[in-house]
Coordinates of all heavy atoms in Angstrom, one line a residue:
M1 N 73.6 -6.0 100.9 CA 72.7 -7.2 100.8 C 72.8 -7.7 99.4 O 72.9 -8.9 99.1 CB 71.2 -6.8 101.0 CG 70.9 -6.7 102.5 SD 71.1 -8.1 103.4 CE 69.7 -9.1 102.9
T2 N 72.8 -6.7 98.3 CA 72.8 -7.3 96.9 C 74.2 -8.0 96.7 O 74.2 -9.1 96.0 CB 72.9 -5.9 96.0 OG1 71.6 -5.2 96.2 CG2 72.9 -6.4 94.6
A3 N 75.3 -7.5 97.2 CA 76.6 -8.1 97.0 C 76.6 -9.6 97.6 O 77.1 -10.5 97.0 CB 77.8 -7.4 97.6
Y4 N 76.0 -9.6 98.7 CA 75.9 -11.1 99.4 C 75.2 -12.1 98.6 O 75.7 -13.2 98.3 CB 75.1 -10.9 100.7 CG 74.8 -12.2 101.5 CD1 75.8 -12.9 102.2 CD2 73.5 -12.8 101.3 CE1 75.4 -14.1 102.8 CE2 73.2 -14.0 101.9 CZ 74.1 -14.6 102.6 OH 73.8 -15.9 103.2
F5 N 74.0 -11.6 98.0 CA 73.2 -12.5 97.1 C 74.0 -12.8 95.9 O 73.8 -14.0 95.3 CB 71.8 -12.1 97.0 CG 70.9 -12.2 98.2 CD1 70.5 -11.2 98.9 CD2 70.6 -13.5 98.6 CE1 69.6 -11.4 100.1 CE2 69.9 -13.7 99.7 CZ 69.2 -12.5 100.5
R6 N 74.6 -11.8 95.3 CA 75.4 -12.1 94.1 C 76.5 -13.0 94.3 O 76.7 -13.9 93.5 CB 75.9 -10.8 93.6 CG 74.9 -10.0 92.8 CD 75.5 -8.8 92.2 NE 74.5 -7.9 91.6 CZ 74.5 -6.6 91.4 NH1 75.6 -6.0 91.6 NH2 73.4 -5.9 90.8
E7 N 77.3 -13.0 95.3 CA 78.3 -13.9 95.8 C 77.7 -15.3 95.9 O 78.4 -16.3 95.5 CB 79.1 -13.5 97.1 CG 79.9 -12.2 96.9 CD 80.5 -11.7 98.1 OE1 80.7 -12.5 99.1 OE2 80.9 -10.6 98.1
K8 N 76.7 -15.4 96.7 CA 76.0 -16.7 96.8 C 75.6 -17.3 95.5 O 75.8 -18.6 95.1 CB 74.8 -16.6 97.7 CG 74.9 -16.1 99.1 CD 75.6 -17.2 99.9 CE 74.8 -18.2 100.5 NZ 75.3 -19.2 101.5
A9 N 75.1 -16.5 94.6 CA 74.7 -17.1 93.3 C 75.9 -17.5 92.5 O 75.9 -18.5 91.8 CB 73.9 -15.9 92.4
D10 N 76.9 -16.6 92.4 CA 78.2 -16.9 91.8 C 78.7 -18.3 92.2 O 79.1 -19.1 91.5 CB 79.2 -16.0 91.9 CG 78.9 -14.6 91.2 OD1 78.0 -14.7 90.3 OD2 79.4 -13.6 91.5
G11 N 78.8 -18.5 93.5 CA 79.4 -19.7 94.0 C 78.5 -21.0 93.7 O 78.9 -22.0 93.3
L12 N 77.1 -20.7 93.7 CA 76.2 -21.9 93.4 C 76.3 -22.2 91.8 O 76.2 -23.3 91.5 CB 74.8 -21.5 93.8 CG 73.7 -22.5 93.8 CD1 74.2 -23.8 94.6 CD2 72.4 -22.0 94.3
R13 N 76.4 -21.1 91.1 CA 76.6 -21.4 89.6 C 77.7 -22.3 89.4 O 77.6 -23.1 88.6 CB 76.7 -19.9 89.0 CG 76.0 -19.8 87.6 CD 76.2 -18.4 87.1 NE 75.2 -17.7 87.5 CZ 75.2 -16.7 88.3 NH1 76.3 -16.2 88.8 NH2 74.1 -15.9 88.7
A14 N 78.9 -22.1 90.0 CA 80.0 -22.9 89.9 C 79.7 -24.4 90.3 O 80.1 -25.3 89.7 CB 81.2 -22.3 90.5
S15 N 79.0 -24.5 91.5 CA 78.6 -25.8 91.9 C 77.7 -26.5 90.9 O 77.9 -27.7 90.7 CB 78.1 -25.7 93.3 OG 78.8 -25.2 94.3
I16 N 76.8 -25.9 90.4 CA 75.9 -26.4 89.5 C 76.5 -27.0 88.3 O 76.3 -28.1 87.8 CB 74.7 -25.5 89.1 CG1 73.9 -25.1 90.3 CG2 73.9 -25.9 87.9 CD1 72.8 -24.0 90.0
K17 N 77.5 -26.2 87.8 CA 78.3 -26.6 86.7 C 79.1 -27.9 86.9 O 79.0 -28.8 86.1 CB 79.3 -25.5 86.2 CG 80.0 -25.7 85.0 CD 80.9 -24.5 84.7 CE 81.5 -24.6 83.3 NZ 82.4 -23.4 83.0
C18 N 79.6 -28.0 88.1 CA 80.3 -29.2 88.5 C 79.3 -30.4 88.6 O 79.6 -31.6 88.2 CB 81.1 -29.1 89.8 SG 82.5 -28.0 89.6
E19 N 78.1 -30.1 89.2 CA 77.1 -31.1 89.5 C 76.7 -31.7 88.1 O 76.4 -32.9 87.9 CB 75.9 -30.6 90.2 CG 76.3 -30.4 91.6 CD 75.2 -29.8 92.4 OE1 74.2 -29.2 91.7 OE2 75.2 -29.6 93.7
I20 N 76.5 -30.9 87.1 CA 76.0 -31.3 85.9 C 77.1 -32.3 85.2 O 76.8 -33.2 84.6 CB 75.8 -30.1 84.8 CG1 74.5 -29.3 85.4 CG2 75.7 -30.5 83.3 CD1 74.3 -28.0 84.6
W21 N 78.4 -31.9 85.2 CA 79.4 -32.8 84.8 C 79.5 -34.2 85.6 O 79.6 -35.1 84.8 CB 80.8 -32.1 85.0 CG 81.0 -30.9 84.1 CD1 80.4 -30.7 82.9 CD2 82.0 -29.9 84.3 NE1 81.0 -29.5 82.5 CE2 81.9 -29.0 83.3 CE3 82.9 -29.6 85.4 CZ2 82.7 -27.8 83.2 CZ3 83.7 -28.6 85.3 CH2 83.6 -27.7 84.2
D22 N 79.2 -34.1 86.9 CA 79.3 -35.3 87.6 C 78.1 -36.2 87.6 O 78.2 -37.5 87.5 CB 79.6 -34.9 89.1 CG 81.1 -34.2 89.3 OD1 81.9 -34.5 88.5 OD2 81.2 -33.7 90.3
I23 N 77.0 -35.6 87.7 CA 75.8 -36.4 87.9 C 74.7 -36.2 86.9 O 73.6 -36.8 86.9 CB 75.2 -36.1 89.3 CG1 74.9 -34.8 89.7 CG2 76.1 -37.0 90.4 CD1 74.4 -34.7 91.1
G24 N 74.8 -35.1 86.0 CA 73.9 -34.9 85.0 C 72.8 -33.8 85.1 O 72.5 -33.5 86.3
E25 N 72.4 -33.2 84.2 CA 71.7 -32.0 84.3 C 70.2 -32.4 84.8 O 69.6 -31.5 85.4 CB 71.5 -31.4 82.8 CG 70.9 -30.1 82.8 CD 71.3 -29.4 81.6 OE1 72.1 -29.8 80.8 OE2 70.8 -28.2 81.4
D26 N 69.7 -33.6 84.6 CA 68.3 -33.9 85.1 C 68.4 -34.4 86.5 O 67.2 -34.8 87.0 CB 67.9 -34.9 84.2 CG 67.6 -34.4 82.8 OD1 67.2 -33.2 82.6 OD2 67.7 -35.2 81.9
S27 N 69.5 -34.3 87.2 CA 69.4 -34.9 88.6 C 68.7 -34.0 89.5 O 68.6 -32.7 89.3 CB 70.9 -35.0 89.2 OG 71.4 -33.8 89.4
Q28 N 68.2 -34.4 90.6 CA 67.4 -33.7 91.6 C 68.3 -32.6 92.3 O 67.8 -31.6 92.4 CB 66.8 -34.6 92.7 CG 65.6 -35.5 92.1 CD 64.5 -34.6 91.6 OE1 64.3 -34.5 90.4 NE2 63.8 -34.0 92.4
C29 N 69.5 -32.8 92.5 CA 70.4 -31.9 93.0 C 70.5 -30.6 92.3 O 70.5 -29.5 92.7 CB 71.8 -32.5 93.3 SG 71.8 -33.8 94.5
V30 N 70.7 -30.9 90.9 CA 70.9 -29.8 90.0 C 69.6 -29.0 89.8 O 69.5 -27.8 89.9 CB 71.2 -30.3 88.6 CG1 71.3 -29.2 87.4 CG2 72.7 -30.9 88.6
K31 N 68.4 -29.7 89.8 CA 67.2 -29.0 89.8 C 66.9 -28.1 91.0 O 66.4 -27.0 91.0 CB 66.0 -30.0 89.6 CG 66.1 -30.6 88.4 CD 65.0 -31.8 88.1 CE 65.0 -32.4 86.8 NZ 64.1 -33.5 86.7
R32 N 67.2 -28.6 92.2 CA 67.1 -27.9 93.5 C 68.1 -26.8 93.5 O 67.6 -25.7 93.8 CB 67.4 -29.0 94.7 CG 67.3 -28.3 96.0 CD 67.9 -28.9 97.1 NE 69.4 -28.9 96.8 CZ 70.2 -30.0 97.0 NH1 69.8 -31.1 97.5 NH2 71.6 -29.8 96.7
D33 N 69.3 -27.0 93.2 CA 70.2 -25.9 93.2 C 69.9 -24.8 92.1 O 70.1 -23.6 92.4 CB 71.7 -26.4 93.0 CG 72.2 -27.1 94.2 OD1 71.5 -27.1 95.3 OD2 73.3 -27.7 94.1
R34 N 69.2 -25.1 91.1 CA 68.8 -24.2 90.1 C 67.7 -23.2 90.7 O 67.6 -22.0 90.5 CB 68.4 -24.7 88.8 CG 69.6 -25.1 87.9 CD 69.2 -25.6 86.6 NE 70.3 -25.7 85.7 CZ 70.3 -26.5 84.6 NH1 69.3 -27.2 84.4 NH2 71.5 -26.6 83.9
E35 N 66.8 -23.9 91.4 CA 65.7 -23.2 92.1 C 66.2 -22.2 93.1 O 65.9 -21.1 93.2 CB 64.8 -24.1 92.7 CG 63.9 -24.9 91.9 CD 62.9 -25.9 92.4 OE1 62.8 -25.8 93.7 OE2 62.3 -26.7 91.8
I36 N 67.3 -22.5 93.9 CA 67.9 -21.8 94.9 C 68.6 -20.8 94.1 O 68.6 -19.5 94.6 CB 68.9 -22.6 95.7 CG1 68.2 -23.7 96.6 CG2 69.7 -21.8 96.7 CD1 69.0 -24.7 97.3
L37 N 69.3 -21.0 93.0 CA 70.0 -20.0 92.4 C 69.0 -18.8 91.9 O 69.3 -17.6 91.9 CB 70.7 -20.6 91.1 CG 71.4 -19.6 90.2 CD1 72.5 -18.8 90.9 CD2 71.9 -20.4 88.9
A38 N 67.9 -19.3 91.4 CA 66.8 -18.4 90.9 C 66.4 -17.5 92.2 O 66.2 -16.3 91.9 CB 65.7 -19.1 90.4
H39 N 66.3 -18.0 93.3 CA 66.0 -17.2 94.5 C 67.2 -16.2 94.8 O 66.8 -15.1 95.0 CB 65.8 -18.3 95.6 CG 65.7 -17.5 96.9 ND1 64.5 -16.8 97.3 CD2 66.6 -17.3 98.0 CE1 64.8 -16.2 98.5 NE2 66.0 -16.5 99.0
Y40 N 68.4 -16.7 94.7 CA 69.5 -15.7 95.1 C 69.4 -14.5 94.1 O 69.7 -13.5 94.4 CB 70.8 -16.5 95.0 CG 71.0 -17.4 96.1 CD1 72.0 -18.4 96.0 CD2 70.4 -17.2 97.3 CE1 72.2 -19.2 97.0 CE2 70.7 -18.1 98.5 CZ 71.6 -19.1 98.2 OH 71.9 -19.9 99.3
E41 N 69.2 -14.9 92.7 CA 69.3 -13.9 91.8 C 68.2 -12.9 91.9 O 68.3 -11.8 91.8 CB 69.3 -14.6 90.3 CG 70.5 -15.3 90.0 CD 70.4 -16.1 88.7 OE1 69.3 -16.5 88.3 OE2 71.5 -16.3 88.2
E42 N 67.1 -13.5 92.2 CA 65.9 -12.5 92.5 C 66.0 -11.7 93.7 O 65.7 -10.5 93.6 CB 64.6 -13.3 92.6 CG 63.3 -12.5 92.9 CD 63.1 -11.5 91.9 OE1 63.3 -11.7 90.6 OE2 62.6 -10.4 92.1
A43 N 66.7 -12.3 94.8 CA 66.8 -11.4 95.9 C 67.9 -10.3 95.7 O 67.7 -9.3 96.1 CB 67.4 -12.4 97.0
A44 N 68.9 -10.7 94.8 CA 69.9 -9.7 94.4 C 69.3 -8.6 93.7 O 69.4 -7.4 93.9 CB 71.1 -10.2 93.6
R45 N 68.4 -9.0 92.8 CA 67.6 -7.9 91.9 C 66.8 -7.1 92.8 O 66.6 -5.8 92.7 CB 66.8 -8.5 90.9 CG 67.6 -8.9 89.6 CD 66.7 -9.2 88.3 NE 66.0 -10.4 88.7 CZ 66.4 -11.7 88.4 NH1 67.6 -11.9 88.1 NH2 65.7 -12.7 88.8
S46 N 66.1 -7.7 93.7 CA 65.1 -7.0 94.6 C 65.8 -6.1 95.5 O 65.4 -5.0 95.8 CB 64.3 -8.2 95.4 OG 63.4 -7.4 96.2
T47 N 67.0 -6.5 96.2 CA 67.6 -5.7 97.1 C 68.3 -4.5 96.4 O 68.3 -3.4 96.9 CB 68.8 -6.5 97.9 OG1 69.5 -7.1 97.1 CG2 68.1 -7.4 98.9
Y48 N 68.7 -4.8 95.1 CA 69.3 -3.7 94.3 C 68.3 -2.6 94.0 O 68.5 -1.4 94.1 CB 70.0 -4.2 93.1 CG 70.6 -3.2 92.2 CD1 71.8 -2.6 92.4 CD2 69.8 -2.6 91.0 CE1 72.3 -1.6 91.6 CE2 70.4 -1.7 90.2 CZ 71.6 -1.2 90.5 OH 72.1 -0.1 89.8
S49 N 67.1 -3.1 93.6 CA 66.0 -2.2 93.2 C 65.5 -1.4 94.4 O 65.3 -0.2 94.3 CB 64.8 -3.0 92.7 OG 63.7 -2.3 92.4
S50 N 65.4 -2.0 95.6 CA 65.0 -1.3 96.8 C 66.0 -0.3 97.2 O 65.7 0.8 97.6 CB 64.8 -2.3 98.0 OG 63.7 -3.2 97.6
A51 N 67.2 -0.6 97.0 CA 68.3 0.4 97.5 C 68.3 1.4 96.4 O 68.5 2.6 96.9 CB 69.8 -0.3 97.4
A52 N 68.1 1.2 95.2 CA 68.1 2.3 94.1 C 67.0 3.3 94.5 O 67.0 4.5 94.4 CB 68.0 1.8 92.8
Q53 N 65.7 2.7 94.8 CA 64.6 3.5 95.1 C 64.8 4.3 96.4 O 64.5 5.4 96.4 CB 63.3 2.6 95.3 CG 62.7 2.2 94.1 CD 61.4 1.4 94.4 OE1 61.2 0.7 95.3 NE2 60.5 1.5 93.4
T54 N 65.3 3.7 97.3 CA 65.6 4.5 98.6 C 66.5 5.6 98.4 O 66.4 6.7 98.9 CB 66.2 3.5 99.7 OG1 65.3 2.4 99.9 CG2 66.4 4.2 100.9
K55 N 67.6 5.4 97.6 CA 68.7 6.3 97.4 C 68.0 7.5 96.5 O 68.3 8.5 96.8 CB 69.7 5.7 96.4 CG 70.9 6.6 96.3 CD 72.1 6.0 95.7 CE 73.3 6.9 95.7 NZ 74.4 6.3 95.1
G56 N 67.1 7.2 95.5 CA 66.4 8.2 94.8 C 65.5 9.0 95.6 O 65.2 10.2 95.3
D57 N 64.9 8.5 96.7 CA 63.9 9.2 97.6 C 64.7 10.1 98.5 O 64.0 10.9 99.0 CB 63.2 8.2 98.4 CG 62.3 7.4 97.6 OD1 62.0 7.7 96.4 OD2 61.8 6.2 98.1
S58 N 65.9 10.0 98.7 CA 66.8 10.7 99.6 C 66.9 12.2 99.2 O 66.9 12.6 98.0 CB 68.0 10.2 99.9 OG 68.0 8.9 100.6

């Protein structure tokens, strides 16, 4: 799960960079995608943390 969310974040990070060049940093698309990026990053941290705890409990 962690790898999935990291891959999604990496791809979105590249898209955000292009969107900033094309339409500007203050555009609604960039703002929305940054919110989604934050979600992916948090999900990656959360799934990594959960996996580490589960592994430590074994």
